Amino acid sequence: MTDTDANPALDWTLLGQAFSAAYAELDADSLLLRGEPSAESSEPESDIVDASEPAGTEQAREHWLTEVGDIRGWFSHEATHFTPWVAKNLYRVQEAALIEHSLTLIGTEQRIAGYRIDVLAKTLVNGRTRPVVIENQLERSDADHLGRLITCAAEVKASHAIWIGVDFRDDHLKVMEALQHSMDCEFIPLLIDGLRLSEQSALFQFTSPPTFPTPADPMREKLHACLRAARDNAINTQRFSRIVRNHPGVAFTRYRDIIQELGYWSYITDSRVDEILEVIAEERPTGPVQLSSKSE
C-alpha cells in the first residue's frame, strides 16, 4: 500500500472556473427575475392568510394596527363621555399607575376646595384607606388642570394624584416628578392610548407618557432611552395580547416565533435589572463624599 493522501487538497481555481462556466450556460435573467415577467408566467400574488382564518382577516388587521388619532372622535365631551368611561374602567387606571390594590369609585365631578375633581376614588395603602384623585383632560396639559390636581390632592390628603391626558408638556412632567419628593402623594401622569378594532369600535387603555429631557447626564439619557423602548414594547405586546384574546377564531401562528423571542429578551432584561438593583442603594447618599486615598 502506498502512502498517499486520501483527501487531496481542492484546486479552488479550477472549482471556481467550473462554477462560472456552468452559470454562463444558464439564463440568469430567468433565475433572478430581472425585468418584467412574461404574461404567461405571471400569477397574482396572494395575501398571506392562515388556512383557518375567516375571510376579511387581513383587512381587519389594518384596523388592529391603526392608532386612534383623535380621541375626541370617540369621546366628544370630557365631562359627559370621557369621565364616566374612566370611572367604569378604574381597573385600567390601577394597572397603568402600578397601584397595588384596586380602586373603588367614590364619585365623579366631586367638589373639593372650590374645584371639581373629575374622579374621586379610594384604595388601600399600608392597611389604610386613602383617597385617590383623578383629573382628565382631552387636550394637551395646561397649568389650570395641574393646579387643580395639586390643590385637590393636598386638600383630601390623597395617596395618588393621577392626571390623564392625550399629551403632556415637558415642564408639567418635571413638576409632577418634583412633587414626588415633597408631598406624601404619588403624582402619576397617564396617556389615553387607543387602537382601532374596526370602523365602529376601538380599544382604549392608559400608558405612562414618554420620559422627558433631563439635565446633561449621558448615563441617565441612555437609561431613559431604554425605558422608552421598554415602554413601547410593553404597550405593543399588550395590544397584541388583547387582539389574540378577542379574536379566538383567527390563527396567529405566524407570529409565534417572534413572541417566543420577545419573551426570551424580556426575561434576560428582567434578570439584568434585578442584578443591577441588588447593588444599587434605594436612597441616594447625602452629605460630603469621603474619597479614599491610596497608600503609596
Side-chain angles (χ1 to χ4, degrees), residues 67-85:
E67 294 183 1
V68 173
D70 182 14
I71 300 295
R72 281 198 177 274
W74 301 83
F75 301 103
S76 58
H77 193 274
E78 183 180 301
T80 58
H81 296 107
F82 187 55
T83 294
W85 183 87

Side-chain angles (χ1 to χ4, degrees), residues 21 41-42 55 65 71 79 90 95 108 110 137 144 164 172 212-214 220 243 258 273 283:
S41 61
S42 64
L65 301 177
I71 300 295
L90 288 178
E95 180 184 71
T108 60
Q110 298 289 295
Q137 189 172 8
D144 175 59
I164 298 173
H172 293 159
F212 50 86
T214 57
R220 185 180 180 89
I243 289 172
I258 301 175
V273 168
E283 297 183 4

Side-chain angles (χ1 to χ4, degrees), residues 1 10 50 62 121 133-134 149 203 220:
M1 178 180 293
L10 288 173
D50 294 308
E62 295 179 6
V133 294
I134 303 174
L149 183 71
L203 169 69
R220 185 180 180 89

Side-chain angles (χ1 to χ4, degrees), residues 193-267:
D193 177 71
L195 188 70
R196 290 172 58 188
L197 299 179
S198 69
E199 290 289 355
Q200 295 79 27
S201 64
L203 169 69
F204 291 97
Q205 59 190 22
F206 304 109
T207 65
S208 57
T211 53
F212 50 86
T214 57
D217 184 345
M219 181 62 71
R220 185 180 180 89
E221 289 301 326
K222 287 183 181 296
L223 288 174
H224 267 185
C226 292
L227 180 59
R228 286 189 288 269
R231 168 188 170 275
D232 290 341
N233 288 338
I235 292 172
N236 289 327
T237 304
Q238 187 178 33
R239 284 174 169 173
F240 184 73
S241 173
R242 287 177 174 167
I243 289 172
V244 171
R245 292 200 307 267
N246 292 338
H247 298 83
V250 177
F252 293 97
T253 307
R254 75 180 79 164
Y255 306 118
R256 186 177 177 84
D257 56 340
I258 301 175
I259 299 300
Q260 286 179 324
E261 189 168 354
L262 177 62
Y264 168 78
W265 287 112
S266 297
Y267 170 77

